[in-house]
Short mmCIF file of all heavy atoms in Angstrom, two decimals:
data_model
loop_
_atom_site.label_atom_id
_atom_site.label_comp_id
_atom_site.label_asym_id
_atom_site.label_seq_id
_atom_site.Cartn_x
_atom_site.Cartn_y
_atom_site.Cartn_z
N ARG U 190 -141.23 29.31 -5.19
CA ARG U 190 -140.69 29.20 -6.63
C ARG U 190 -139.17 28.85 -6.45
O ARG U 190 -138.50 29.14 -5.56
CB ARG U 190 -140.82 30.63 -7.26
CG ARG U 190 -142.23 31.03 -7.64
CD ARG U 190 -142.77 30.14 -8.75
NE ARG U 190 -144.23 30.52 -8.99
CZ ARG U 190 -144.60 31.31 -9.94
NH1 ARG U 190 -143.75 31.91 -10.71
NH2 ARG U 190 -145.88 31.49 -10.21
N ARG U 206 -134.92 26.76 -15.93
CA ARG U 206 -136.36 27.12 -15.93
C ARG U 206 -136.92 27.32 -14.57
O ARG U 206 -136.46 26.71 -13.61
CB ARG U 206 -137.13 26.10 -16.63
CG ARG U 206 -136.77 25.88 -18.17
CD ARG U 206 -137.71 25.04 -18.95
NE ARG U 206 -138.93 25.90 -19.18
CZ ARG U 206 -139.26 26.35 -20.35
NH1 ARG U 206 -138.45 26.19 -21.40
NH2 ARG U 206 -140.38 27.13 -20.53
N GLU U 207 -138.01 28.13 -14.50
CA GLU U 207 -138.65 28.40 -13.25
C GLU U 207 -139.67 27.31 -12.92
O GLU U 207 -140.28 26.74 -13.83
CB GLU U 207 -139.36 29.76 -13.26
CG GLU U 207 -139.92 30.21 -11.95
CD GLU U 207 -140.50 31.59 -11.97
OE1 GLU U 207 -140.95 32.10 -12.99
OE2 GLU U 207 -140.37 32.27 -10.98
N VAL U 216 -143.08 26.60 -14.78
CA VAL U 216 -143.90 27.72 -15.11
C VAL U 216 -143.59 28.11 -16.54
O VAL U 216 -142.45 28.47 -16.83
CB VAL U 216 -143.63 28.95 -14.19
CG1 VAL U 216 -144.57 30.13 -14.53
CG2 VAL U 216 -143.85 28.56 -12.68
N ASP U 217 -144.50 27.98 -17.41
CA ASP U 217 -144.22 28.13 -18.78
C ASP U 217 -143.92 29.58 -19.15
O ASP U 217 -144.52 30.50 -18.48
CB ASP U 217 -145.42 27.67 -19.75
CG ASP U 217 -145.45 26.09 -19.78
OD1 ASP U 217 -144.47 25.46 -19.51
OD2 ASP U 217 -146.56 25.56 -20.00
N PRO U 218 -143.19 29.85 -20.18
CA PRO U 218 -142.93 31.27 -20.51
C PRO U 218 -144.17 31.99 -20.89
O PRO U 218 -144.31 33.21 -20.70
CB PRO U 218 -142.08 31.18 -21.78
CG PRO U 218 -141.35 29.81 -21.67
CD PRO U 218 -142.37 29.00 -20.95
N ASP U 219 -145.21 31.33 -21.41
CA ASP U 219 -146.53 32.01 -21.69
C ASP U 219 -147.21 32.41 -20.39
O ASP U 219 -148.27 33.06 -20.53
CB ASP U 219 -147.40 31.28 -22.73
CG ASP U 219 -147.73 29.78 -22.24
OD1 ASP U 219 -147.42 29.57 -21.08
OD2 ASP U 219 -148.16 29.05 -23.05
N GLU U 220 -146.73 31.90 -19.31
CA GLU U 220 -147.31 32.27 -18.03
C GLU U 220 -146.38 33.22 -17.24
O GLU U 220 -146.44 33.39 -16.08
CB GLU U 220 -147.48 31.03 -17.12
CG GLU U 220 -148.50 29.91 -17.69
CD GLU U 220 -148.44 28.72 -16.79
OE1 GLU U 220 -147.41 28.01 -16.79
OE2 GLU U 220 -149.49 28.42 -16.16
N ASN U 221 -145.50 33.85 -18.01
CA ASN U 221 -144.46 34.70 -17.53
C ASN U 221 -143.43 34.07 -16.66
O ASN U 221 -142.87 34.67 -15.77
CB ASN U 221 -145.16 35.90 -16.82
CG ASN U 221 -146.03 36.72 -17.63
OD1 ASN U 221 -145.71 37.01 -18.83
ND2 ASN U 221 -147.04 37.34 -17.14
N GLY U 222 -143.22 32.75 -16.89
CA GLY U 222 -142.12 32.09 -16.21
C GLY U 222 -140.74 32.40 -16.81
O GLY U 222 -140.64 32.59 -17.99
N PHE U 223 -139.77 32.36 -15.99
CA PHE U 223 -138.32 32.66 -16.46
C PHE U 223 -137.92 31.29 -17.10
O PHE U 223 -138.01 30.22 -16.61
CB PHE U 223 -137.49 33.01 -15.37
CG PHE U 223 -137.72 34.32 -14.77
CD1 PHE U 223 -138.34 34.50 -13.53
CD2 PHE U 223 -137.47 35.53 -15.52
CE1 PHE U 223 -138.58 35.66 -12.95
CE2 PHE U 223 -137.78 36.82 -14.99
CZ PHE U 223 -138.31 36.85 -13.73
N ALA U 224 -137.32 31.33 -18.39
CA ALA U 224 -136.87 30.13 -19.01
C ALA U 224 -135.58 30.45 -19.86
O ALA U 224 -135.71 31.38 -20.65
CB ALA U 224 -137.98 29.54 -19.80
N LEU U 225 -134.57 29.73 -19.76
CA LEU U 225 -133.51 29.67 -20.68
C LEU U 225 -133.20 28.30 -21.15
O LEU U 225 -132.40 27.50 -20.59
CB LEU U 225 -132.21 30.20 -19.94
CG LEU U 225 -132.21 31.72 -19.58
CD1 LEU U 225 -130.93 32.10 -18.75
CD2 LEU U 225 -132.31 32.62 -20.79
N TRP U 266 -133.46 40.93 -15.58
CA TRP U 266 -134.46 40.43 -16.49
C TRP U 266 -135.78 40.51 -15.72
O TRP U 266 -135.99 39.85 -14.64
CB TRP U 266 -134.16 39.02 -16.91
CG TRP U 266 -135.08 38.45 -17.85
CD1 TRP U 266 -136.07 39.03 -18.53
CD2 TRP U 266 -135.17 37.03 -18.22
NE1 TRP U 266 -136.74 38.20 -19.44
CE2 TRP U 266 -136.26 36.92 -19.17
CE3 TRP U 266 -134.45 35.85 -17.85
CZ2 TRP U 266 -136.51 35.63 -19.77
CZ3 TRP U 266 -134.82 34.60 -18.40
CH2 TRP U 266 -135.75 34.61 -19.41
N ARG U 268 -139.82 40.01 -14.99
CA ARG U 268 -140.84 39.00 -15.37
C ARG U 268 -141.76 39.53 -16.35
O ARG U 268 -142.17 40.70 -16.37
CB ARG U 268 -141.53 38.62 -14.03
CG ARG U 268 -142.58 37.47 -14.30
CD ARG U 268 -143.34 37.16 -12.97
NE ARG U 268 -142.41 36.60 -11.95
CZ ARG U 268 -142.02 35.33 -11.85
NH1 ARG U 268 -142.32 34.51 -12.89
NH2 ARG U 268 -141.19 34.92 -10.96
N GLY U 269 -142.09 38.65 -17.32
CA GLY U 269 -143.09 39.03 -18.29
C GLY U 269 -142.54 39.72 -19.49
O GLY U 269 -143.22 40.01 -20.49
N THR U 270 -141.25 39.85 -19.56
CA THR U 270 -140.46 40.44 -20.66
C THR U 270 -139.53 39.49 -21.36
O THR U 270 -139.03 38.55 -20.72
CB THR U 270 -139.59 41.75 -20.31
OG1 THR U 270 -138.57 41.25 -19.44
CG2 THR U 270 -140.52 42.67 -19.43
#
Side-chain angles (χ1 to χ4, degrees):
R190 293 292 176 93
R206 297 194 73 109
E207 189 171 29
V216 184
D217 287 335
D219 57 12
E220 300 175 292
N221 295 330
F223 294 109
L225 292 175
W266 185 13
R268 186 179 295 280
T270 65

